[in-house]
Amino acid sequence: MPTQNEVKFELDFGDPEVTGGVTVFDPQFDELFYYDGNDLGVHLFADRTTFRLWAPTASAAHLVLYKSNNTKAVKEIDMIRGSRGTWTLTVPESLEGWLYTYKVLIGRQFHEALDPYTRAVAVNGDKSAIVDMTKTNPDGWRPTFKPSFTQQTDAIIYEVHVRDLTVHPQSGAHNRGKFLGAAETGTRGPNGILTGLDHIVSMGVTHVQLLPIFDYATTSVDETEPDGTKYNWGYDPKNYNVPEGYYATDPYEPITRIKELKHMIQAMHNKGLRVIMDVVYNHVADAYKHALGQLVPGYFFRYWDEAKQQLSNGSGCGNDTASERLMMRKYILDSVNYWATEYNLDGFRFDLMGLHDIETMRQVRTMLNKIDPGMVLIGEGWYLNTSLDDSKKANIYNSWQMPGVGQFNDALRNTLKGNPFEERAQGYVGGGKFLENEVRKGIVGGIPYNEYIHSIVAEPDQNVNYVECHDNHTMWDKLKLTNGFDTRKTRRRMHRLSSAIVLMSQGIAFIHAGQEFMRTKFGCENSYNLPDAINQMDWSRASQHQDDVAYMRAMIALRKAHKAFRMKTTAEIKAHLMFEDCPGHTIAFTLRDHANGDGSKHLYVVFNANQSSSRLQVPALGDWRIAFGHEHVEQFTDNILEMEGLSTVVLEIV
Ligand code: CA
C-alpha cells in the first residue's frame, strides 16, 4: 500500500512545452533556468514593493494579497515572466503589513504557496508577511558585534533547546520557554543556583548550539497556543528563513519573533558566547505541501523513480531535498547567508549532512569564511541511503574533500558509552573491554595518527567529540542500562570520566545541556515530542548536582587554559601527542614541548577506567605537578603515580 505521501505526490510536474521541452529532471534544466540573482523574494521600499519568484514550469504566476491570516484574498496581481524562469512584479506602493502568497499554474492546476524566501510570516507560518526589516532590530542591536573567535578547534559547544533551558518551574525566568527567557540574566533556581543563560555562561563554554529555531510545522506545535504545553525539537522545517513562533511572546505579530530571537542572540553575544544554529535543509515537513514542492513540483526533491513519483527518503522523514540541483544549493547558501548576516549568527550545524552533496558543503564553508573565518561549521556526516551517488555524499567517508567541515564522531561516542542500538552494550567507562585503541582514535581527534590509531577525518577541526547530544540516551540513562548493578556513586564517576575524555581530546568538544548535572530523560531515548517533564533542564536536579557541575566547569577551564588540548593540525598532533605505557583499561598520554604554544612545557593525562586503583610510571621529563584531579591522587612520588579507579588526573611541567 502506498504511503500517504506517495498518494498525495501524484503531482503534475508541468507541461514540458512551457520549458521548451525540458523537464525538471533533465540536466539541461539547470543550464537553462539557474538564476543567480540576489533579489528572490520580496523587497520593500518607501514607494514600491518588488517581488521575484523562481518558477520555470509555471505557465502563469500571481501574487495573492491578504489583509489577515484568516480572511479571503483581497486581490490577485499577475506577475510578469522574467529571465531564467523567474516571475517579477513591482507594485508602486509600500505593502508593509500585508500578507501574501504566490499562485502558480502548473499544467492545469493552480498551486498556492508561501514564498520560500519569505523572512516573516503570519501565525503558524501559513502566509508570508511583508515587513520592514529595519523594524525587527531590538534595542541596542549591534549587527556585527560578536565575541572574538578564530580557530574551530577552540570551540567548546553546549547544545540546548530554547524551551528546555527555562521552561522548568524553578528556572527563575520570567519568559519561561521563550527566546526572551533564554536571554534573561540574573535568573536563580533552587538554593540560589545559577540557571538559564547565567548557568551556561558560568560553564565557560565558547558556543551555544540551539536545536531548531526556524519555523517548523504546525503539526508538531500549534503556534496559536503559545502558552501551551506542546513540545517538539523542531526537525520538520516549514519556513526556512523565519524564526519559530512558538518561542515568541506573540506569534501573531510577524515582527515579534524576529526581534525576540535577535534579542536572545545579542544577549548571548553580550555574555561572551557565540551562537550556532541547527539547520535542517535535508528534508521538509511535507514535500507535497511545502512551497518548494508546490512552486516547482519535482525539482527540489530527490526521487528513486520519477515516473512513479517515488521520493528518496534517506532522511526517514518522507523526502530528501536535492542539494546537488543548482537552485536547491543556491537556496541553502542564500538561507545560511541570510541567518549569518541578518541575525549575526556564528556557526551552523547541518542536520543529516550526509544527505547533502559535497560541493554544497564546500560552498557553504567558503561563503562562511568570507563573512567570518571563525564561523563554526559542523554536521552529521552519516552514511545514508539517498538517491545520490556515494562519491558525492557529504558524509564522513568523504570528509577529506570538505576541509573545515566538522563531523560528529559517533565512533568515540559509541566507544565511551556503548552502542546506542544495543542497550546493554557497555562502553569503555562502564567496563567494556578492549576499547582502549578505539578511545585513542578519539583522543587524537579522529585523524590518521599512525597505523593503528587511524580513523577518518584529515584534520582535527573536522572532528566533533561528544558522548551525549539530544539524540539517543543521555549518558546517565545509558549507564543505568549498562551498569545498573553498580552504585549511583560509581555511575557518577563513570559519567564524569566520559566527559573528561571528550574535554581532553583533540578536535572540537561538544557537550549536551545538563550533561554537567547528569541529565536524565528517565530512560527515553527519543524525546523529540515528549512533554517538558522529560525534556526540560531540571534545575532542581542541577541544584543537587552542583559538585558535578563544578567538576565540568573545572574541566572546561583546564581545556581553555591549555592550548595543547586544542592543536590545530594533524601534523602538530602527530608531533606533540604521545601515548604512554599504562596498565590495562587505563589510557595515558603526554602533550609535549609546548604543544600549540601551550604555556606548560608538558602535560600528562591519564584516564583510569578500572574501578580499582592504577599505578603508573610517569615519563621522567622533569618536575611534574598535579594540574587536575588532586582528589584522585593516592600517591605521587619519584614519577610513580597511584590514582583511584574511575578517575582522571592531569600532571604538568611548567
Ligand atoms: Ca511553527
Side-chain angles (χ1 to χ4, degrees), residues 79-136:
M79 299 183 79
I80 298 157
R81 194 183 280 279
S83 63
R84 303 190 73 85
T86 63
W87 298 83
T88 65
L89 177 66
T90 299
V91 178
E93 61 180 295
S94 165
L95 293 176
E96 185 181 356
W98 285 81
L99 303 178
Y100 74 102
T101 59
Y102 293 126
K103 209 183 216 184
V104 292
L105 182 60
I106 309 286
R108 291 182 187 175
Q109 246 185 345
F110 275 106
H111 299 182
E112 188 173 357
L114 273 75
D115 185 348
Y117 276 80
T118 195
R119 300 168 168 211
V121 292
V123 69
N124 276 331
D126 286 337
K127 298 276 188 302
S128 299
I130 302 170
V131 301
D132 177 352
M133 288 302 291
T134 64
K135 294 180 182 169
T136 65

Side-chain angles (χ1 to χ4, degrees), residues 215-216 223 244-245:
D215 179 34
Y216 55 83
E223 296 177 11
E244 169 55 36

Side-chain angles (χ1 to χ4, degrees), residues 501-517:
I501 295 170
V502 167
L503 284 161
M504 294 179 201
S505 294
Q506 302 298 317
I508 299 163
F510 178 104
I511 61 174
H512 181 220
Q515 188 178 327
E516 65 278 21
F517 55 78

